[in-house]
Amino acid sequence: MNGENNSNDDSEIGSWKKKLIWSWILTIPIALIMLSERLFGFELIEMPYSVIVMLVLGFPVLFIFGYDTIKSGLRGFFTFYFNMDSLIALGTIVAYITGFLSLFDFIADYSGVAAMIMAFFTTGKYVEAKARGRASAEIMKLLQLGAKSSIVIRNGKEIEIPIDEVVVGDVMVVKPGDKISTDGVVVKGESSVDESMVTGESLPVDKKKNSLVIGATINQDGILYVKATKIGKDTFLAHIIDLVEEAQGSKIPIQKLADKITSVFVPSIIILSILAFLNWLIIFRDLSRAIGVAVSVLVIACPCALGLATPTALMVGSGMGAKRGILVRKGEAIQTMKEIKTVVFDKTGTITKGKPEVTDIYSKIKEDKLLEIAASLEKLSLHPIAHAIVVKANLKKYRKVTGFSVVRGKGVIGKIGSKEIAIGNRALMNDRKIKYSDFNSQIETFENSGKTVMIVSEDKKVIGVIAVADAVKDDSVEAIQRLNSLGYRTVMLTGDNERTARAIASQVGIKEVIANVLPEDKAKKVEELQKEGFVAFIGDGINDAPALKQSNVGIAMGTGTDIAIEAGDIVLAKGSLLGVVQSINLSKATFRKIKQNLFWAFAYNIVAIPLAVFGLLHPVIAEIAMALSSISVVTNANLLRRARVD
Amino acid sequence: MKKLKISIEGMHCASCASNVEKSVSKVSGVKSCSVSLMLKKGNIECEDKINIEDIKKAVAKTGYKVVKVE
């Protein structure tokens, strides 16, 4: 969908290249003429013919190959929207005119200098455009990841159609090695799919009937028949692209000063150059020198290094992230990350897999009977624990439930026949004044092994308990260990009870547990923790959204709900906690790079501009220095790739 | 309030991007505008009843061209 981006970039580089080659073909003779006396000890062409030759050779360099720059630069003087072309245009035209004036013996001839400035400027732009292209390589690859066409079954025949013509419900035939064209569900076939390009997960994922597949991922070994469920803007890839583009447009606080300077930079430099000119003219009474100095000031000033410092580093950084399934949505998170002291985790779906299973049942009535009652109510709830109970019961027919309601963070209530049923945690039982002391020791045993216990009551009497366990994700332990050893305070924040929470926490190495937190209070707890330092919150559920927003850096699991993803500053497509460690390392490395770049860009301008004002730099040297400064900033950003983030 | 994404052609330096931001921000109905030189794209937050032509004109005034509006 963004195919034109790349060609655009290539054409930009290509056009600079063409201009650069022609400019130098004409500029090299000019340089030889200018330097001949110094190089060979005699003048190649004598005055005033040399000036005429340089004016003739220089004309196309400035006004044909440099036409775009001159035009765009001069426009600034009419619209007052100056850009860096304005500086180059003014500098080269002034220098070129001295050529004519010198024929009448007024002043020194800078016409050759004009051509050289333009040639070096073009060269600099070419190198910079190439380096910028390299900086955005990963992101551009992501933007162009989408399939261009798809094989679908229409009227019983396999036909290949452009991706735009695929509609929801089409069955696509995906052969081994082919790209799955859009998001869908497998209706037939078995295979493994390489999802690394979108989730960063390096191992292929097995797919069979009813598995969900992501558009733009690559089918490995078997044929898959996939029914398209989402197309165009609704696909996972389209969402990822939106997130990434949003980040590139977002501003990082540290860039603000540089942006402010950039916006007034060019007019300020024009004024400064006029002042320098007047200074040399009036005080030193040297018109030739005054023109040389004014041109030097114009061409040495470089708003580009300042303006490129942050976006190029951000681009490289987010590209490195995207490759690992880390999507930075808000650029600001990169700056905030280094201040983080506390990392707070949600439990279910974040530390654990979020797919609880019923492991134990302890009941005073028959187990089947208990499950039947429980499942009939839980069928009506959307909670993952409810789902586990329904799966375990595996009923063909459910009992009729009336007056059903969900008590948020506590459980569910309803009536089966005339009997009042309540299923939930201790808080629900306490609220309803139901005694569970007979079951207490059993409940505690389950909880001590990290299981969540649902108490089932009928007419205010407990009839049994169901224990549900949610396995810890494979790499949660490693991730939290690494965070601990990096010196972060790790905290678990969960709606689950203290005992279960502690059991899971000790399994993964988290020391602090805040349990029994109602969904609406999660953000408040984060706020309390923020009093002791910046907090990163990692979560995946709808109820985590306020906490993600409240925290200084919200990291959402991409495997979770859209609402959580919307609220996160960083999204982990893979859903592994190692992504948290990587996000922290990546943010810190990127921010260091941004600081370095801004430092050099400021330092360059602060040193170079005064040198030019005091007449210490020849205009050509000034131009070379300018080109090098912006190239070095972009190249330095590209060096970010060497940082260790894994 | 709605969000617009525009693709811009012709920008090649940081002051170009900052000019576009300044000019588009002045269009009535535009709440905010941020331009990425790297992606050659601008994100605009504006009122629902915005005239796209006004935005295109604002970009053209600074010397660049809107090639796509999403």
Side-chain angles (χ1 to χ4, degrees), chain A residues 236-258:
Chain A
F236 191 68
L237 180 67
H239 281 301
I240 289 186
I241 289 172
D242 271 349
L243 297 186
V244 170
E245 290 190 337
E246 188 187 352
Q248 295 305 321
S250 75
K251 300 281 179 213
I252 303 185
I254 195 174
Q255 174 71 10
K256 276 200 184 122
L257 177 62

Side-chain angles (χ1 to χ4, degrees), chain A residues 77-121:
Chain A
F77 293 94
F78 298 104
T79 61
F80 290 100
Y81 281 107
F82 296 103
N83 58 27
M84 80 162 303
D85 291 344
S86 311
L87 301 175
I88 301 298
L90 188 59
T92 51
I93 289 174
V94 167
Y96 190 75
I97 290 171
T98 61
F100 287 108
L101 297 180
S102 75
L103 292 176
F104 306 102
D105 219 12
F106 280 120
I107 44 170
D109 163 39
Y110 285 105
S111 62
V113 168
M116 286 180 75
I117 289 174
M118 188 57 89
F120 275 115
F121 174 75

Side-chain angles (χ1 to χ4, degrees), chain A residues 2 4-5 9 12 75 79 81-85 125 132 135 140 233 242 245 248-249 251 263 304 307-308 312 315, chain B residues 5 9 12-16 18-19 21-23 26 34-41 43 61-64 68 70:
Chain A
N2 280 288
E4 77 272 18
N5 255 323
D9 252 27
E12 186 188 338
R75 186 200 301 269
T79 61
Y81 281 107
F82 296 103
N83 58 27
M84 80 162 303
D85 291 344
K125 276 287 157 193
R132 266 195 282 135
M140 287 303 172
K233 290 218 153 304
D242 271 349
E245 290 190 337
Q248 295 305 321
K251 300 281 179 213
S263 67
C304 262
L308 288 173
T312 46
M315 193 78 183
Chain B
K5 230 191 281 176
E9 216 176 68
H12 56 270
C13 74
S15 38
C16 304
S18 119
N19 281 343
E21 275 179 13
K22 251 196 285 181
S23 178
K26 280 184 200 153
S34 70
V35 174
S36 157
L37 171 67
M38 303 292 288
L39 291 173
K40 301 183 172 61
K41 278 191 180 159
N43 287 322
K61 206 171 137 194
T62 56
Y64 317 104
K68 204 167 81 183
E70 286 172 63

Side-chain angles (χ1 to χ4, degrees), chain A residues 410-485:
Chain A
K410 293 177 181 173
V412 294
I413 51 176
K415 270 184 161 179
I416 294 180
S418 63
K419 296 209 162 111
E420 213 173 279
I421 312 292
I423 309 171
N425 56 17
R426 285 192 182 84
L428 184 75
M429 298 301 137
N430 292 339
D431 283 358
R432 304 183 72 78
K433 303 207 165 53
I434 300 167
K435 292 206 170 60
Y436 49 84
S437 45
D438 295 358
F439 289 82
N440 222 7
S441 71
Q442 197 56 48
I443 294 172
E444 283 178 15
T445 315
F446 289 145
E447 285 177 348
N448 282 331
S449 56
K451 291 166 186 168
T452 304
V453 180
M454 291 287 107
I455 306 169
V456 185
S457 77
E458 189 182 69
D459 284 341
K460 306 237 168 206
K461 270 203 201 81
V462 176
I463 52 172
V465 296
I466 300 171
V468 175
D470 184 7
V472 167
K473 282 181 197 167
D474 295 334
D475 32 24
S476 292
V477 178
E478 189 194 338
I480 288 159
Q481 245 167 20
R482 286 176 64 184
L483 289 173
N484 282 336
S485 67

